[in-house]
Amino acid sequence: MKHTDIIDVIGKDDYLGQEITVCGWVRTARDSKNVAFLALNDGTSLNHLQIVIDKSSDIEVDPEATKLGASLKVIGEVVKNERNDTNEINAKEITVLGVCPADYPLQKKFQKLETLREMPHIRVRTNTFNAVFRVRSVIAAAIHRFFQERGYVYINTPLITGSDCEGAGEMFQVTTIGYSKDYKSEEEYYADDFFGKKTGLSVSGQLEGEVAAMGLGKIYTFGPSFRAENSNTQRHAAEFWHIEPEIAFCELPDLIEIAEDMIKYIIKEYMEKCPEELKFFEQRFEKGLTEKLLSVVNNDFAVVDYTDAIEILKKADVKFEFPVEWGCDLQSEHERYITEKVYNKPVFLINYPKEIKSFYMKLNEDGKTVAATDLLVPGVGEIIGGSEREADLNKLLAAMEAKGMSTEGYDFYLDLRKYGSVPHAGFGLGFERIIMYVTGMSNIRDVILYPRTVGNIK
Ligand code: 4AD
């Protein structure tokens, strides 16, 4: 169907005086005896195009064309509305492509985000989700561009895996047969299953990413990860999109530099390419959002040692729900205090105790901490987790043993340390978390098309 995108009609004067065809859904309709105004949106812009129907002309208008949600094809002349200096269309011919009955769920102008979550197939037609998904798309492209411009190779790691990367056992199992009591042991059951061994959906592409980096030097992945975490929070989803660069010949300070550059790059692109959306989020969801993002782009992030953070938290004049001691895993209340109250900007926390981090992280010279980093941001908390990897075979084996892990299934990973091992590092950025940060949306369920969370699959 040949037609012009509404964004081009609104944004440029090239079509003024011309007769063109536009398509879209009716967002609002004002109908009177002599004239009707329709606000048409085709998804290309947050702004609607006004269609003016002069009823005294010989245009025939199907009454269904003025119903909220109806889809139309409109032919008409582009004219300038002098009152508000916008382009609109004087309709000559209107075809109803799809009628929309009165039970259309978006009759009310503003609906609660919770209500909209119940209808993921409809909510994309609202301004909020129109803006969220356009920003997601622009940021996804910016992430690819950032890595491509710097010579990283985009790779796709498997989604079905036999190894649990984070070692936390939070994997969804992949099976084609249900467990039955007839099996004498778990081993017998798994042997009978599709792959002949226990498999699950990958929580991270990192281990295979490391494999690729050992041949390609610099790689990144951009795909879904799955976590069967039973945490019903505003920032956890069972299925989320994960960006994981892995870099050979890279140490922790280099990794931090790459992560900071990447975040600044994508925010700059977002501010440049989505000014309308940013204005919308500022007005509706986070006052001061633009200023916050400008400040992120123009200032250095803080780098704080875990041990120093513990001291700051111990001295804080705040009663935390979870007590703080060196060695404890930081809770979200602690992370928020550090990034929101103390620094009020993104903070790389580094050098965590080895006991609370994953087996693959490089042991520091103190023998107590690992060269890991989490990037914490105000409002959202952790958006990046990463580390330098343990490149020494014996140290890696010792770390696995200390965590009670079997080496079964990790032969390939150990081989990387056996054959030409090199210092290397990588991180994982939660795609939905960065979208939350730049839009001010406070719930992860509102930045992904179909959220999957505990007890919820639509
Ligand atoms: O800190 P995580 O668990 O690190 C890893 O998976 C490493 N293997 C990454 C690497 O070094 N290549 O997860 C990385 C990021 C988190 O900082 C967070 O942004 C996001 O992934 N994330 C989630 N996002 C949404 N829902 C969840 N359940 C998430 N779990 C992690």
Side-chain angles (χ1 to χ4, degrees):
M1 197 177 275
K2 275 232 178 306
H3 67 282
T4 307
D5 285 345
I6 284 180
I7 190 166
D8 293 332
V9 186
I10 300 173
K12 303 184 215 160
D13 283 342
D14 303 20
Y15 296 99
L16 274 179
Q18 288 184 34
E19 188 170 291
I20 62 164
T21 303
V22 290
C23 297
W25 293 270
V26 177
R27 284 295 190 86
T28 60
R30 274 188 294 137
D31 201 358
S32 65
K33 208 161 138 238
N34 301 323
V35 64
F37 298 100
L38 307 179
L40 205 67
N41 190 293
D42 65 354
T44 58
S45 165
L46 255 190
N47 296 313
H48 311 325
L49 175 65
Q50 175 149 281
I51 309 292
V52 185
I53 307 169
D54 178 359
K55 291 185 169 174
S56 64
S57 68
D58 51 12
I59 183 170
E60 268 180 48
V61 184
D62 180 340
E64 293 298 333
T66 57
K67 300 271 166 68
L68 221 64
S71 50
L72 311 178
K73 180 174 130 183
V74 179
I75 300 174
E77 187 192 343
V78 183
V79 295
K80 180 72 81 189
N81 180 333
E82 299 300 343
R83 265 181 299 122
N84 54 16
D85 195 35
T86 55
N87 298 335
E88 57 186 32
I89 296 228
N90 277 339
K92 297 238 168 82
E93 191 184 318
I94 296 183
T95 312
V96 176
L97 300 174
V99 298
C100 191
D103 64 353
Y104 180 52
L106 298 182
Q107 299 289 349
K108 267 200 284 164
K109 200 156 183 221
F110 296 114
Q111 302 229 34
K112 284 204 183 115
L113 292 172
E114 289 87 337
T115 314
L116 292 170
R117 258 174 237 151
E118 296 302 313
M119 35 181 169
H121 64 303
I122 300 287
R123 67 177 182 172
V124 283
R125 302 185 192 195
T126 63
N127 288 347
T128 300
F129 290 92
N130 198 295
V132 164
F133 292 116
R134 199 184 327 280
V135 168
R136 250 188 98 107
S137 166
V138 165
I139 291 190
I143 289 170
H144 278 292
R145 207 168 307 117
F146 175 84
F147 287 115
Q148 295 283 336
E149 280 173 357
R150 287 158 183 76
Y152 287 66
V153 179
Y154 172 47
I155 59 150
N156 307 110
T157 48
L159 300 186
I160 300 177
T161 168
S163 54
D164 174 5
C165 168
E166 291 307 298
E170 285 163 341
M171 268 214 286
F172 286 101
Q173 196 180 328
V174 173
T175 175
T176 51
I177 49 171
Y179 183 74
S180 112
K181 289 205 181 78
D182 298 340
Y183 290 113
K184 292 196 191 66
S185 64
E186 276 197 5
E187 284 70 36
E188 194 186 283
Y189 160 56
Y190 292 129
D192 211 18
D193 206 349
F194 191 89
F195 294 104
K197 64 179 282 200
K198 188 177 180 183
T199 48
L201 291 178
S202 179
V203 298
S204 157
Q206 177 197 326
L207 302 192
E208 296 85 357
E210 286 187 52
V211 168
M214 291 305 111
L216 294 160
K218 296 190 281 189
I219 64 94
Y220 72 104
T221 72
F222 194 153
S225 284
F226 306 88
R227 305 251 168 129
E229 293 170 294
N230 203 353
S231 37
N232 206 351
T233 75
Q234 303 215 27
R235 41 189 213 128
H236 287 89
E239 178 179 298
F240 67 97
W241 283 69
H242 209 171
I243 296 99
E244 296 186 277
E246 192 69 36
I247 310 112
F249 318 108
C250 177
E251 293 168 328
L252 189 64
D254 313 311
L255 187 74
I256 287 175
E257 212 177 296
I258 295 163
E260 182 166 337
D261 284 351
M262 178 195 68
I263 297 290
K264 288 180 171 170
Y265 182 97
I266 58 186
I267 290 180
K268 268 192 220 153
E269 284 253 323
Y270 161 56
M271 296 185 85
E272 199 185 300
K273 300 226 162 94
C274 303
E276 293 291 333
E277 285 77 7
L278 179 54
K279 205 164 79 192
F280 173 83
F281 289 123
E282 167 99 42
Q283 279 164 359
R284 293 284 307 278
F285 293 100
E286 187 177 330
K287 210 161 164 283
L289 179 63
T290 312
E291 210 176 304
K292 172 184 95 175
L293 296 178
L294 275 175
S295 155
V296 170
V297 167
N298 293 325
N299 291 291
D300 290 340
F301 295 5
V303 180
V304 181
D305 205 280
Y306 167 91
T307 303
D308 297 334
I310 294 293
E311 286 313 306
I312 294 171
L313 291 166
K314 277 180 156 172
K315 287 192 196 125
D317 195 13
V318 179
K319 182 117 189 63
F320 293 117
E321 191 188 337
F322 295 91
V324 184
E325 267 318 315
W326 197 94
C328 76
D329 209 354
L330 295 184
Q331 302 296 322
S332 111
E333 56 174 346
H334 308 134
E335 294 180 347
R336 295 189 73 143
Y337 182 81
I338 297 282
T339 185
E340 288 169 18
K341 297 280 180 303
V342 183
Y343 291 95
N344 193 27
K345 64 175 173 176
V347 176
F348 285 106
L349 267 192
I350 59 168
N351 298 331
Y352 287 79
K354 62 179 179 188
E355 287 78 12
I356 59 170
K357 286 290 184 187
S358 300
F359 72 97
Y360 52 72
M361 297 182 174
K362 183 187 156 74
L363 188 63
N364 285 326
E365 276 181 7
D366 62 13
K368 293 194 303 189
T369 60
V370 285
T373 184
D374 283 355
L375 177 62
L376 313 176
V377 297
V380 181
E382 181 196 327
I383 61 169
I384 281 180
S387 75
E388 191 173 335
R389 316 307 189 190
E390 184 53 78
D392 181 295
L393 180 60
N394 291 328
K395 286 186 186 163
L396 182 62
L397 285 168
M400 291 178 84
E401 197 182 332
K403 291 198 183 287
M405 289 172 67
S406 151
T407 54
E408 202 191 317
Y410 291 94
D411 296 348
F412 75 98
Y413 196 66
L414 300 171
D415 273 357
L416 303 182
R417 279 72 186 164
K418 195 170 148 195
Y419 305 120
S421 187
V422 301
H424 63 290
F427 64 79
L429 165 70
F431 189 45
E432 286 73 25
R433 300 253 178 110
I434 183 75
I435 302 296
M436 288 168 73
Y437 184 56
V438 303
T439 56
M441 301 298 288
S442 55
N443 197 313
I444 195 162
R445 293 165 181 79
D446 298 326
V447 295
I448 187 162
L449 193 62
Y450 275 84
R452 271 79 177 92
T453 50
V454 191
N456 171 43
I457 188 150
K458 280 253 167 344

